[in-house]
Amino acid sequence: MALRYAVLGLLSKEHLTGYDLTQKFHSHISHFWNAHHTQIYRELQKLEKEGLVSYDLVQQHERPDKKVYTLTDHGLQDLLGWMAEPPKPPSMKNETLLRVSLFHLIPPDQAVQYLEASRQTHVEVLNAMKQWGELHLGSADAPPSYELIGETLTLDFGMRFIQTWIDWCDYAIRMFRSFPE
Amino acid sequence: MALRYAVLGLLSKEHLTGYDLTQKFHSHISHFWNAHHTQIYRELQKLEKEGLVSYDLVQQHERPDKKVYTLTDHGLQDLLGWMAEPPKPPSMKNETLLRVSLFHLIPPDQAVQYLEASRQTHVEVLNAMKQWGELHLGSADAPPSYELIGETLTLDFGMRFIQTWIDWCDYAIRMFRSFPE
DNA sequence: ACATGCATGTAACATGTTACATGATTTA
DNA sequence: TAAATCATGTAACATGTTACATGCATGT
């Protein structure tokens, strides 16, 4: 029930095509949501049938037509209603942690190897986030405009989250190293 | 592709019925995975057809029969093969952050109210985790046995994760308070 | 009397993933 | 010459959610 609100939310800022939306998902909100283009096209069709979005056909030279989607009044009302719903407890689904919970099945050096690879992946993600923030939000020290407050806060959470991963990987590696092999 | 490994992983420790598995999902691994009983029954049927698990019918007095599932050799091999796969970058999907990214659509006091409710929810989850850890894993200071290392580490991550949420909520509330209303 | 627990499921639907398809244009 | 980009999709399948169903036992 939430993919629709990710789409409506992006459309509340700009008029976008399905393709544009896919790009935004990858570039702007991947630290808290993501979707394949196939899902987005399917969702747009449904939202259009329900009257929450409408589209204009735009002809292009030498390219297929594109559908530029717009949020309708009804769509904005639906979105604002959803914004007022109470928060739910977080539910995690993480393949790495699922593996870690079964580490007693494998030898310690394989576990350490896995944790080191995982740490490395997270370091790379964190660097990419920092770069993205500097490019899109400017200095992290200066307070953001009200328009950008949501993006600033979610990026900040994303970076804290990844840092938590890195710290935890270090801790876990130390714990494994303390076991006699 | 990972629910099956959550099921196989639990069955690598004990023989369990579908009902037992549902309980374990809720009580033991909810900080990094979860599933409805309907999913678990469906998955067990598939795993049985593929020969990764088998079951014994156990008759009960005054209750319907139960199927107690066991991991087969084939199932264990499949599980160990999965354990050796490389880690993926984490992918988050979080409704709260999706709302936060759209906070520019609502007035600051509604945003603060939401963040305070979210903080409260996370405090409650953290307390429940602490209690569960004391009950199942004993003192957090003493090093765990190798059998319990996975559960110790995943619970530790869960608690760090929730603490990160709480700290971030405080930061976000301060940021909103600094905006003139 | 009513809810909760034990134990198993079906059905319908929503969401997410992967593979395949088209066809011109631009970049390496 | 190969690939990536723009732009739109279909199809098949896996996973996740919600509602409904059964029937007995125990606790409040």
Side-chain angles (χ1 to χ4, degrees), chain A:
Chain A
M1 294 269 111
L3 169 64
R4 66 192 306 118
Y5 296 109
V7 171
L8 295 177
L10 287 172
L11 290 177
S12 77
K13 301 177 195 171
E14 306 166 78
H15 306 300
L16 298 166
T17 68
Y19 189 86
D20 296 334
L21 280 161
T22 307
Q23 307 299 105
K24 292 272 172 194
F25 266 83
H26 291 338
S27 68
H28 276 63
I29 66 176
S30 65
H31 38 288
F32 59 88
W33 210 269
N34 55 68
H36 292 267
H37 68 123
T38 53
Q39 253 182 295
I40 290 167
Y41 286 115
R42 185 170 51 187
E43 196 66 34
L44 284 169
Q45 283 177 7
K46 261 184 17 190
L47 292 171
E48 204 264 321
K49 270 181 203 151
E50 295 178 37
L52 304 181
V53 302
S54 60
Y55 66 84
D56 293 303
L57 264 185
V58 174
Q59 268 162 2
Q60 305 188 108
H61 30 240
E62 319 277 356
R63 293 258 172 76
D65 293 354
K66 57 175 168 178
K67 294 178 184 170
V68 179
Y69 285 88
T70 305
L71 193 64
T72 64
D73 284 350
H74 187 12
L76 180 61
Q77 288 317 308
D78 203 51
L79 179 59
L80 291 176
W82 177 76
M83 289 292 287
E85 282 178 23
K88 295 174 190 161
S91 89
M92 274 276 277
K93 218 162 250 203
N94 188 287
E95 222 176 283
T96 294
L97 292 176
L98 181 54
R99 281 205 184 81
V100 171
S101 77
L102 300 171
F103 266 0
H104 59 275
L105 295 174
I106 60 173
D109 53 321
Q110 191 187 333
V112 169
Q113 213 184 321
Y114 186 83
L115 290 166
E116 276 167 351
S118 181
R119 186 190 195 283
Q120 181 56 29
T121 304
H122 286 94
V123 167
E124 282 158 22
V125 171
L126 183 57
N127 288 334
M129 279 184 176
K130 279 180 183 161
Q131 271 197 357
W132 186 88
E134 279 162 25
L135 200 70
H136 289 262
L137 303 172
S139 164
D141 305 319
S145 67
Y146 201 73
E147 270 306 299
L148 289 178
I149 196 164
E151 281 185 70
T152 304
L153 286 174
T154 51
L155 180 66
D156 184 86
F157 181 87
M159 293 194 299
R160 286 170 190 246
F161 175 62
I162 301 295
Q163 188 61 56
T164 300
W165 265 105
I166 295 170
D167 295 344
W168 174 86
C169 283
D170 289 336
Y171 164 76
I173 290 167
R174 274 200 307 279
M175 184 177 282
F176 268 99
R177 291 245 163 85
S178 78
F179 272 91
E181 313 198 15

Side-chain angles (χ1 to χ4, degrees), chain B residues 73-146:
Chain B
D73 284 349
H74 188 12
L76 181 61
Q77 289 316 307
D78 202 52
L79 179 59
L80 291 176
W82 178 77
M83 289 293 285
E85 282 177 24
K88 294 174 191 163
S91 87
M92 274 276 278
K93 219 162 250 202
N94 188 287
E95 221 176 285
T96 294
L97 291 177
L98 181 54
R99 281 205 184 83
V100 171
S101 77
L102 301 172
F103 266 1
H104 59 276
L105 295 173
I106 59 172
D109 54 320
Q110 191 188 333
V112 169
Q113 212 184 322
Y114 186 83
L115 290 166
E116 277 168 350
S118 181
R119 185 189 196 283
Q120 181 55 30
T121 304
H122 285 94
V123 167
E124 281 157 23
V125 170
L126 184 58
N127 288 335
M129 279 185 175
K130 280 181 182 160
Q131 272 197 355
W132 186 87
E134 279 161 24
L135 200 69
H136 288 261
L137 302 171
S139 164
D141 306 318
S145 68
Y146 201 73

Side-chain angles (χ1 to χ4, degrees), chain B residues 1-3 33-34 36 38-39 42-43 46 62-64:
Chain B
M1 291 266 111
L3 169 65
W33 211 270
N34 55 69
H36 292 266
T38 53
Q39 253 182 296
R42 185 170 52 185
E43 196 65 33
K46 261 182 21 188
E62 320 275 357
R63 292 261 172 78

